[in-house]
Amino acid sequence: MRFLVIGDSCIDIFRYGKVTRIAPEAPVPIIVPEKETSNPGMAGNVVKNLEALGHKVDFITNTNEIRKIRYVCSKYNHLLLRVDENDSCQPITQKVLDKIKWEKYDAIVISDYCKGFLDENDIKFISKQHPLTFLDSKKVFG
């Protein structure tokens, strides 16, 4: 199958480290970095999952790099802190939406994390373009 995924994406970064003590100036763990991994996040994760299942995927997403950095205790795999950088993006334009050849896709996936890429009108427009549209949104529709 051929999918089109539309939505905001980020880079998920995981910084693992050893925690053996608490800081003397505040009750927070001190982490000694050991390793770092990264992978596509948000709508980018949806793309990777569909590709892993053997599907062909086209992807329309934000151009700026949103980064979600997680600091994790490697001994317990416990999340200690998350730092979000560039946590918003420019909206998709109607010009981009108008250029899409909707009929070439077996299904459309809208993956909306409320970072500014899609608004309710965009989601309604996209949903009307294809009979098989899946929506995962953090928005509350009224």
Side-chain angles (χ1 to χ4, degrees):
M1 289 184 72
R2 182 172 204 90
F3 287 84
L4 172 62
V5 175
I6 302 175
D8 25 28
S9 63
C10 73
I11 303 294
D12 282 332
I13 300 166
F14 295 85
R15 294 184 177 155
Y16 295 89
K18 189 175 188 177
V19 176
T20 59
R21 63 191 177 107
I22 301 297
E25 67 274 6
V28 296
I30 296 172
I31 187 167
V32 178
E34 295 176 322
K35 72 174 184 174
E36 178 175 305
T37 63
S38 65
N39 54 273
M42 300 185 326
N45 186 49
V46 174
V47 170
K48 289 298 178 193
N49 289 336
L50 289 168
E51 289 173 341
L53 292 170
H55 300 293
K56 294 179 181 173
V57 183
D58 289 337
F59 188 25
I60 299 174
T61 190
N62 46 291
T63 55
N64 68 308
E65 183 177 272
I66 296 172
R67 294 167 33 108
K68 299 195 177 296
I69 306 163
R70 294 164 177 89
Y71 291 86
V72 182
C73 171
S74 56
K75 183 175 182 178
Y76 299 107
N77 201 36
H78 180 78
L79 178 64
L80 301 172
L81 174 70
R82 186 174 108 179
V83 178
D84 291 359
E85 296 177 350
N86 304 319
D87 202 33
S88 63
C89 56
Q90 292 296 313
I92 193 170
T93 65
Q94 189 63 44
K95 184 177 179 179
V96 169
L97 292 172
D98 289 340
K99 288 183 178 181
I100 298 170
K101 306 273 190 259
W102 302 99
E103 65 280 354
K104 76 178 195 178
Y105 299 104
D106 296 301
I108 309 298
V109 177
I110 304 168
S111 184
D112 174 41
Y113 282 78
C114 295
K115 302 300 179 190
F117 190 64
L118 299 170
D119 65 23
E120 285 186 36
N121 290 327
D122 298 325
I123 292 170
K124 289 175 186 175
F125 175 83
I126 295 165
S127 297
K128 291 178 182 176
Q129 303 310 305
H130 198 280
L132 188 55
T133 302
F134 298 92
L135 171 62
D136 176 20
S137 179
K138 307 305 177 238
K139 287 181 177 47
V140 177
F141 292 86

